[in-house]
Amino acid sequence: MTRRQIVFLKPKNLTRVVLGGVIGMIGMTSLGGCHPQVQAQCSTCAQYEASIREWRAGRIAALRAEHGWLALAGLYWLDSLDTGEHRLGADPGADLVFPEGAPPEIGRLRLQGGEVSLQVAPGVDARIGELAVTQTVLRSDVDPKQPPDRVHIGERFTFFILSRGGRLGVRLYDSASPARREFAGIDSFPVASEWRIQARFEAHAQPREIEHPTVLGTVQAAQVPGVAVFSIAGREHRLTPILEAGPAGQELLFVFRDQTSGVETYTGGRFLIAALAQDGTVELDFNKAHNPPCAFTPYATCPVPLPENRLPIRIEAGEKLPADHPAP
C-alpha cells in the first residue's frame, strides 16, 4: 500500500487479508519464485540463473581460447589467386601474407585437382599434431566427421584448409592476436526465465535441402528438419533451424534477427542452438542467444538469417554487442 492507501482494518477483515497473504506466499513457494512457464524445468530461479552464468562463462572461455574466434588472423581464398602455387609467410611479397612474427617464408601451398599440398621451407618448425612435417597433402574440413589437418607453425600460428560453398581457403589463427589480447567481454540482457520457451516443433517428413545464404554473399548447403512454432504475448511466431554437427551429435541452429538487431544487438543477427526436438517439442532458451563469429572477426564465414527468421518483435534476452564492438 502507498501512504495514501493506508486503511484501518477490522479484525475480521484483517484475518481475511492475512490468510490471503499466506495462501499467496504458499503459491509463490510452490512456483519456486520462477515464471510459471519454466517451473517444470528448474527447481529454483536461482539454480536456472546460475546455469546461465555458467554457460556464459564457458562461452567467454571458448572465444578466448588459443584457437577461438578471437584468435583468427586471416582468411585466404586459394581460387582467388593467380596461380596454383602460393607462397606463404610474413614476407610482404608472399601470396599469403601472415602477420608479423611468423617466419618470412613458411613454404608453398599447391592447389591441384581439389587437393591442397604443403611444401615446408627448410628450417621452419611445422607440425601436425606432434609430428613434424616437410611435405604433405592437407585434409580440409569438408567432412565434419573428419577433422582437418591443423598445421602448427612454431608456438604461435596455426592454419588449416577450409571448404565453403565449393571454395577452398586457408584459415589462420594467431594466439597473440590483438583481438584475443584486448577482448573486453560481452554485454548481455538480464537473465529472464520467461524467455525460456517450449516451442511446438513441426517436423518435415524428411529434412529439406536448402542453400543457406552467408555473409560472403555465397550459399552453403544445409538441411532443414522442420519449423519451431511458439507464442509471445499471445502472438504466434515461427523460426526455421538448420541441422548442425555439435559436440554430442546433431543439434538445431537458429539464425535469427529481431527488433534489437542493429540497435542493442549485432546487426547481422544472432545464433541460438537447441537440442533436437523431443516428443514434438523443442526448447528455445533465448537467454543463450549469442553473437555469430562475424561479430568478433572479419575472417569468419557466417550464415545470415533466412527471410522467415526475421522476427517482428524485440528479443530482450541473450547477448548484446561485444563490449568493444563499435555502435551500429
Side-chain angles (χ1 to χ4, degrees), residues 7-17:
V7 295
F8 292 97
L9 300 174
K10 294 180 180 181
K12 182 177 180 181
N13 292 334
L14 180 61
T15 301
R16 185 180 299 120
V17 170

PDB file of all heavy atoms in Angstrom, residues 7-17:
ATOM      1  N   VAL A   7      -5.387   2.086   5.335  1.00  0.00           N
ATOM      2  CA  VAL A   7      -6.717   1.998   5.932  1.00  0.00           C
ATOM      3  C   VAL A   7      -6.600   1.182   7.204  1.00  0.00           C
ATOM      4  O   VAL A   7      -5.666   0.388   7.373  1.00  0.00           O
ATOM      5  CB  VAL A   7      -7.735   1.359   4.958  1.00  0.00           C
ATOM      6  CG1 VAL A   7      -7.943   2.244   3.753  1.00  0.00           C
ATOM      7  CG2 VAL A   7      -7.296  -0.028   4.547  1.00  0.00           C
ATOM      8  N   PHE A   8      -7.541   1.350   8.087  1.00  0.00           N
ATOM      9  CA  PHE A   8      -7.586   0.553   9.309  1.00  0.00           C
ATOM     10  C   PHE A   8      -8.572  -0.583   9.101  1.00  0.00           C
ATOM     11  O   PHE A   8      -9.716  -0.369   8.666  1.00  0.00           O
ATOM     12  CB  PHE A   8      -8.020   1.414  10.499  1.00  0.00           C
ATOM     13  CG  PHE A   8      -6.989   2.438  10.876  1.00  0.00           C
ATOM     14  CD1 PHE A   8      -7.094   3.740  10.406  1.00  0.00           C
ATOM     15  CD2 PHE A   8      -5.905   2.088  11.649  1.00  0.00           C
ATOM     16  CE1 PHE A   8      -6.139   4.681  10.741  1.00  0.00           C
ATOM     17  CE2 PHE A   8      -4.944   3.031  11.985  1.00  0.00           C
ATOM     18  CZ  PHE A   8      -5.057   4.341  11.533  1.00  0.00           C
ATOM     19  N   LEU A   9      -8.124  -1.802   9.348  1.00  0.00           N
ATOM     20  CA  LEU A   9      -8.934  -2.985   9.106  1.00  0.00           C
ATOM     21  C   LEU A   9      -9.548  -3.486  10.401  1.00  0.00           C
ATOM     22  O   LEU A   9      -8.876  -3.552  11.447  1.00  0.00           O
ATOM     23  CB  LEU A   9      -8.074  -4.097   8.500  1.00  0.00           C
ATOM     24  CG  LEU A   9      -7.403  -3.748   7.157  1.00  0.00           C
ATOM     25  CD1 LEU A   9      -6.473  -4.882   6.771  1.00  0.00           C
ATOM     26  CD2 LEU A   9      -8.442  -3.520   6.086  1.00  0.00           C
ATOM     27  N   LYS A  10     -10.796  -3.888  10.294  1.00  0.00           N
ATOM     28  CA  LYS A  10     -11.419  -4.552  11.428  1.00  0.00           C
ATOM     29  C   LYS A  10     -10.837  -5.948  11.553  1.00  0.00           C
ATOM     30  O   LYS A  10     -10.369  -6.521  10.581  1.00  0.00           O
ATOM     31  CB  LYS A  10     -12.934  -4.629  11.195  1.00  0.00           C
ATOM     32  CG  LYS A  10     -13.597  -3.246  11.188  1.00  0.00           C
ATOM     33  CD  LYS A  10     -15.082  -3.378  10.960  1.00  0.00           C
ATOM     34  CE  LYS A  10     -15.759  -1.994  10.959  1.00  0.00           C
ATOM     35  NZ  LYS A  10     -17.224  -2.091  10.756  1.00  0.00           N
ATOM     36  N   PRO A  11     -10.860  -6.521  12.755  1.00  0.00           N
ATOM     37  CA  PRO A  11     -10.253  -7.844  12.956  1.00  0.00           C
ATOM     38  C   PRO A  11     -10.710  -8.879  11.944  1.00  0.00           C
ATOM     39  O   PRO A  11      -9.925  -9.663  11.446  1.00  0.00           O
ATOM     40  CB  PRO A  11     -10.680  -8.219  14.389  1.00  0.00           C
ATOM     41  CG  PRO A  11     -10.864  -6.891  15.067  1.00  0.00           C
ATOM     42  CD  PRO A  11     -11.391  -5.961  14.009  1.00  0.00           C
ATOM     43  N   LYS A  12     -12.014  -8.862  11.582  1.00  0.00           N
ATOM     44  CA  LYS A  12     -12.493  -9.864  10.625  1.00  0.00           C
ATOM     45  C   LYS A  12     -11.821  -9.696   9.272  1.00  0.00           C
ATOM     46  O   LYS A  12     -11.372 -10.658   8.659  1.00  0.00           O
ATOM     47  CB  LYS A  12     -14.006  -9.728  10.486  1.00  0.00           C
ATOM     48  CG  LYS A  12     -14.635 -10.755   9.543  1.00  0.00           C
ATOM     49  CD  LYS A  12     -16.143 -10.588   9.511  1.00  0.00           C
ATOM     50  CE  LYS A  12     -16.778 -11.605   8.567  1.00  0.00           C
ATOM     51  NZ  LYS A  12     -18.244 -11.440   8.503  1.00  0.00           N
ATOM     52  N   ASN A  13     -11.693  -8.423   8.805  1.00  0.00           N
ATOM     53  CA  ASN A  13     -11.039  -8.168   7.528  1.00  0.00           C
ATOM     54  C   ASN A  13      -9.547  -8.465   7.596  1.00  0.00           C
ATOM     55  O   ASN A  13      -8.949  -8.934   6.645  1.00  0.00           O
ATOM     56  CB  ASN A  13     -11.248  -6.713   7.102  1.00  0.00           C
ATOM     57  CG  ASN A  13     -12.718  -6.441   6.758  1.00  0.00           C
ATOM     58  OD1 ASN A  13     -13.428  -7.356   6.379  1.00  0.00           O
ATOM     59  ND2 ASN A  13     -13.145  -5.189   6.914  1.00  0.00           N
ATOM     60  N   LEU A  14      -8.954  -8.162   8.747  1.00  0.00           N
ATOM     61  CA  LEU A  14      -7.533  -8.416   8.922  1.00  0.00           C
ATOM     62  C   LEU A  14      -7.227  -9.897   8.782  1.00  0.00           C
ATOM     63  O   LEU A  14      -6.260 -10.306   8.138  1.00  0.00           O
ATOM     64  CB  LEU A  14      -7.083  -7.900  10.289  1.00  0.00           C
ATOM     65  CG  LEU A  14      -5.612  -8.086  10.622  1.00  0.00           C
ATOM     66  CD1 LEU A  14      -4.768  -7.330   9.612  1.00  0.00           C
ATOM     67  CD2 LEU A  14      -5.321  -7.605  12.040  1.00  0.00           C
ATOM     68  N   THR A  15      -8.114 -10.727   9.364  1.00  0.00           N
ATOM     69  CA  THR A  15      -7.907 -12.174   9.257  1.00  0.00           C
ATOM     70  C   THR A  15      -7.944 -12.618   7.808  1.00  0.00           C
ATOM     71  O   THR A  15      -7.132 -13.412   7.348  1.00  0.00           O
ATOM     72  CB  THR A  15      -8.987 -12.927  10.059  1.00  0.00           C
ATOM     73  OG1 THR A  15      -8.911 -12.525  11.407  1.00  0.00           O
ATOM     74  CG2 THR A  15      -8.802 -14.441   9.938  1.00  0.00           C
ATOM     75  N   ARG A  16      -8.904 -12.041   7.029  1.00  0.00           N
ATOM     76  CA  ARG A  16      -9.033 -12.417   5.632  1.00  0.00           C
ATOM     77  C   ARG A  16      -7.788 -12.020   4.847  1.00  0.00           C
ATOM     78  O   ARG A  16      -7.293 -12.754   4.016  1.00  0.00           O
ATOM     79  CB  ARG A  16     -10.274 -11.736   5.041  1.00  0.00           C
ATOM     80  CG  ARG A  16     -10.565 -12.160   3.604  1.00  0.00           C
ATOM     81  CD  ARG A  16     -11.797 -11.470   3.043  1.00  0.00           C
ATOM     82  NE  ARG A  16     -12.975 -11.808   3.839  1.00  0.00           N
ATOM     83  CZ  ARG A  16     -13.718 -10.912   4.480  1.00  0.00           C
ATOM     84  NH1 ARG A  16     -13.413  -9.635   4.430  1.00  0.00           N
ATOM     85  NH2 ARG A  16     -14.792 -11.289   5.160  1.00  0.00           N
ATOM     86  N   VAL A  17      -7.256 -10.796   5.149  1.00  0.00           N
ATOM     87  CA  VAL A  17      -6.081 -10.333   4.426  1.00  0.00           C
ATOM     88  C   VAL A  17      -4.862 -11.174   4.748  1.00  0.00           C
ATOM     89  O   VAL A  17      -4.098 -11.584   3.877  1.00  0.00           O
ATOM     90  CB  VAL A  17      -5.818  -8.842   4.748  1.00  0.00           C
ATOM     91  CG1 VAL A  17      -4.472  -8.418   4.203  1.00  0.00           C
ATOM     92  CG2 VAL A  17      -6.924  -7.972   4.175  1.00  0.00           C
TER      93      VAL A  17
END
